[in-house]
Amino acid sequence: MSAVPTVLAQDVTQKITPPSIEYSALSPMLILFGVALAGVLVDAFAPPKARRVLQPLLAAGGFIAAFVAVVLLHTRREILAAGAVAIDGPTLFMQGTILVFAALAVLLVAERRLDSSGGALVASAAVVPGSKGSTAQRTSPEVQTEAYPLMVFSVSGMLLFVASNNLLVMFVALEILSLPLYLLAGLARRRRLLSQEAAMKYFLLGAFSSAFFLYGVAFAYGYAGSVELGRVADAVGTVGQNDTYLYLSLALLGVGLFFKIGAAPFHSWTPDVYQGAPTPITAFMAAGTKVAAFGALLRVFYVAFGGMRWDWRPVVWAVAILTMVVGAVLALTQRDIKRMLAYSAVAHAGFLLVGMAGSNTDGLRGAMFYLVTYGFTTIAAFGVVSLVRTGDGEASDLSQWQGLGRTSPVVAGTFAFLLLALAGIPLTSGFTGKFAVFQAAIAGDATPLVVVALVCSAIAAFFYVRVIVLMFFSEPLADGPVVVTRPTLTFATVGIGALMTLLLGVIPQPLLDLATTAATSGFVR
């Protein structure tokens, strides 16, 4: 009996060595976590008028500071926090991209001059749709300022998501970035019932996808005895291992990640959420979430399962083809402008998967470049959508855009240019982005996949051109929408997005060189 306390005493006296954590290398994420907590405190203690000013400034300042920290880390290439986080070229490239898009999205969220109300976000999320309070708050000067710390929390999760070298850490990052988005999707000031329905659908389907991802983590551990991506890669192909666990892990992790990028057949949430969420939040999700999800997808497939590329490559082919066809064909049937752009986002997810099917370095470079070009264009496009308004809010139906080119030629011309960029017309960033991913696919012996992508691009061009024809070659409606002329922040966002769309189409080489450098350095493991 006396031996038991002695053994316990010996165990207690053993030193526990804490992991070495280099906080400087984690500074972008730490800055955002600190800013998010500060935003919570501001919302708790600052008066309403002060909150409306402080929250957007705090969020934008945090994104800028984190971006500066990413730039300062450009030479780092290492695994940190006991193997949980990887800092390398692709990670820093995607983190910087996410932060730029987040800063632009904050400008859209902070816009308060679109109509007589306090902006796109609801004054009080607790008000029941259809009640007297719901009707009154449409013109209320108040705004749900909790949206800003929620955005910062989501972006911090995105940064961790693309940097995760551990599947459990990746799952935590997935929840950090997703849970705020579920709430933000339900904060639309107008069409409250549609917004809350979108948030509920997003939450339920997102919970299912997270469950699939977590089951995949469990099977990966059962196969490799570890959830670190490098150790999973080392175990791939090992004699005596249970390959059933390996394939189940790959399939389940793929389902969870394909859901986040909006790939078919896991795309059903995309049109409903894009339509129901506040348009600035839709822009934020369309750009930032896609970068984060693709960053995690590339890291998992290239690092953990890179040794079985010939096993998962046919699956990527099939998902890419299905995603492009579904996105392009279903977009043809849409009458709502935001739903059309949602199915456009599905098609673009397919184009990105085409690049992933290519060789590792070229595919990684092409995907990163495409994510930048698509993000700037789509944020600007949703910014234009928020400018065209009727008495009930945004002009969502395509028929309401009839003749807009005659009444507001500058706004209609900008939107037409952005749509042509999404279609991939030369001298736009959309053309150079598609060229980059298609070139990678051809180099990786995926030429048939490129042929399918070209056919789907031609189909997609039809519904983009249809909107342009409607704006410029139709008579304006007598009671048609108006274009708001005062929103400075929205104009700035649209201008930056359109300018980058043009510059990356005319002189793409600097960004291509940056993407090449990041891709050549590769994922550290």
Side-chain angles (χ1 to χ4, degrees):
M1 295 295 292
S2 61
V4 176
T6 303
V7 172
L8 292 177
Q10 292 176 350
D11 291 339
V12 171
T13 57
Q14 291 179 355
K15 291 184 178 181
I16 299 176
T17 305
S20 176
I21 299 178
E22 296 190 33
Y23 292 100
S24 61
L26 303 176
S27 56
M29 291 170 278
L30 296 178
I31 289 172
L32 291 191
F33 281 124
V35 168
L37 294 175
V40 173
L41 295 177
V42 168
D43 224 83
F45 298 106
K49 290 184 179 180
R51 291 202 303 264
R52 292 197 294 266
V53 176
L54 290 176
Q55 290 285 29
L57 290 177
L58 187 62
F63 294 145
I64 294 172
F67 180 80
V68 172
V70 168
V71 173
L72 294 176
L73 293 172
H74 71 280
T75 59
R76 302 290 289 267
R77 178 179 166 82
E78 55 191 314
I79 294 179
L80 308 167
V85 177
I87 300 298
D88 49 38
T91 295
L92 296 174
F93 185 96
M94 293 183 195
Q95 285 183 339
T97 302
I98 291 169
L99 291 167
V100 170
F101 293 158
L104 292 177
V106 165
L107 296 180
L108 293 179
V109 174
E111 183 60 75
R112 297 174 55 81
R113 297 182 178 179
L114 290 174
D115 54 22
S116 59
S117 70
L121 300 183
V122 69
S124 175
V127 175
V128 178
S131 64
K132 292 182 179 179
S134 178
T135 304
Q137 73 175 349
R138 291 185 180 181
T139 57
S140 170
E142 301 298 326
V143 66
Q144 193 83 32
T145 52
E146 291 91 337
Y148 295 102
L150 286 174
M151 285 183 66
V152 178
F153 272 122
S154 181
V155 174
S156 63
M158 294 177 189
L159 299 192
L160 183 59
F161 200 41
V162 299
S164 298
N165 190 56
N166 181 299
L167 289 173
L168 275 180
V169 174
M170 189 173 286
F171 173 75
V172 173
L174 175 64
E175 296 305 298
I176 294 174
L177 78 89
S178 298
L179 291 175
L181 291 178
Y182 301 152
L183 296 173
L184 290 169
L187 296 183
R189 182 176 290 265
R190 298 174 182 270
R191 300 175 185 173
R192 293 287 300 131
L193 190 60
L194 182 64
S195 180
Q196 293 190 351
E197 178 186 353
M200 182 59 68
K201 289 179 179 178
Y202 194 18
F203 169 69
L204 291 176
L205 293 176
F208 278 113
S209 73
S210 296
F212 278 110
F213 187 92
L214 193 56
Y215 272 115
V217 174
F219 280 112
Y221 182 80
Y223 173 78
S226 175
V227 290
E228 289 186 21
L229 300 185
R231 294 188 180 182
V232 174
D234 293 336
V236 170
T238 303
V239 177
Q241 294 289 343
N242 188 343
D243 287 345
T244 302
Y245 287 177
L246 175 63
Y247 288 109
L248 283 173
S249 173
L250 176 61
L252 293 170
L253 290 172
V255 169
L257 293 169
F258 286 143
F259 173 87
K260 294 308 296 184
I261 68 173
F266 316 106
H267 69 287
S268 58
W269 64 273
T270 309
D272 292 333
V273 175
Y274 276 40
Q275 181 187 20
T279 300
I281 302 302
T282 303
F284 172 59
M285 289 190 296
T289 305
K290 196 170 291 291
V291 176
F294 256 99
L297 179 69
L298 292 169
R299 182 173 291 278
V300 169
F301 275 66
Y302 281 2
V303 176
F305 301 108
M308 51 185 302
R309 181 170 178 268
W310 296 107
D311 293 306
W312 55 254
R313 196 182 184 210
V315 177
V316 173
W317 274 52
V319 174
I321 293 172
L322 182 61
T323 302
M324 290 184 292
V325 172
V326 167
V329 172
L330 292 185
L332 294 172
T333 65
Q334 302 305 311
R335 297 294 305 170
D336 186 278
I337 190 72
K338 290 174 71 175
R339 290 183 72 88
M340 187 200 76
L341 291 175
Y343 280 109
S344 167
V346 173
H348 283 281
F351 297 143
L352 279 160
L353 289 173
V354 171
M356 181 179 169
S359 61
N360 284 10
T361 301
D362 290 341
L364 183 58
R365 180 196 65 174
M368 291 191 298
F369 181 80
Y370 196 108
L371 287 168
V372 176
T373 60
Y374 172 76
F376 277 116
T377 305
T378 196
I379 285 180
F382 280 110
V384 173
V385 170
S386 68
L387 293 173
V388 184
R389 309 183 73 82
T390 64
D392 192 38
E394 295 168 352
S396 58
D397 193 272
L398 285 179
S399 62
Q400 297 174 315
W401 291 68
Q402 182 175 324
L404 187 68
R406 302 187 183 185
T407 58
S408 301
V410 175
V411 171
T414 302
F415 194 54
F417 171 70
L418 296 171
L419 292 177
L420 292 175
L422 290 172
I425 300 301
L427 298 182
T428 66
S429 62
F431 174 79
T432 52
K434 287 184 178 179
F435 182 82
V437 294
F438 293 170
Q439 184 185 45
I442 292 173
D445 298 325
T447 303
L449 195 57
V450 175
V451 174
V452 176
L454 290 173
V455 173
C456 291
S457 296
I459 297 173
F462 175 80
F463 60 78
Y464 294 129
V465 173
R466 179 182 62 176
V467 179
I468 298 173
V469 171
L470 195 65
M471 291 191 297
F472 287 95
F473 299 97
S474 301
E475 292 295 328
L477 299 174
D479 57 346
V482 297
V483 175
V484 186
T485 58
R486 299 181 301 159
T488 306
L489 297 178
T490 302
F491 282 159
T493 304
V494 173
I496 293 172
L499 179 62
M500 293 303 299
T501 299
L502 177 62
L503 290 178
L504 293 177
V506 178
I507 47 174
Q509 198 58 47
L511 182 61
L512 276 172
D513 291 341
L514 185 62
T516 301
T517 301
T520 303
S521 68
F523 292 110
V524 66
R525 48 166 288 189

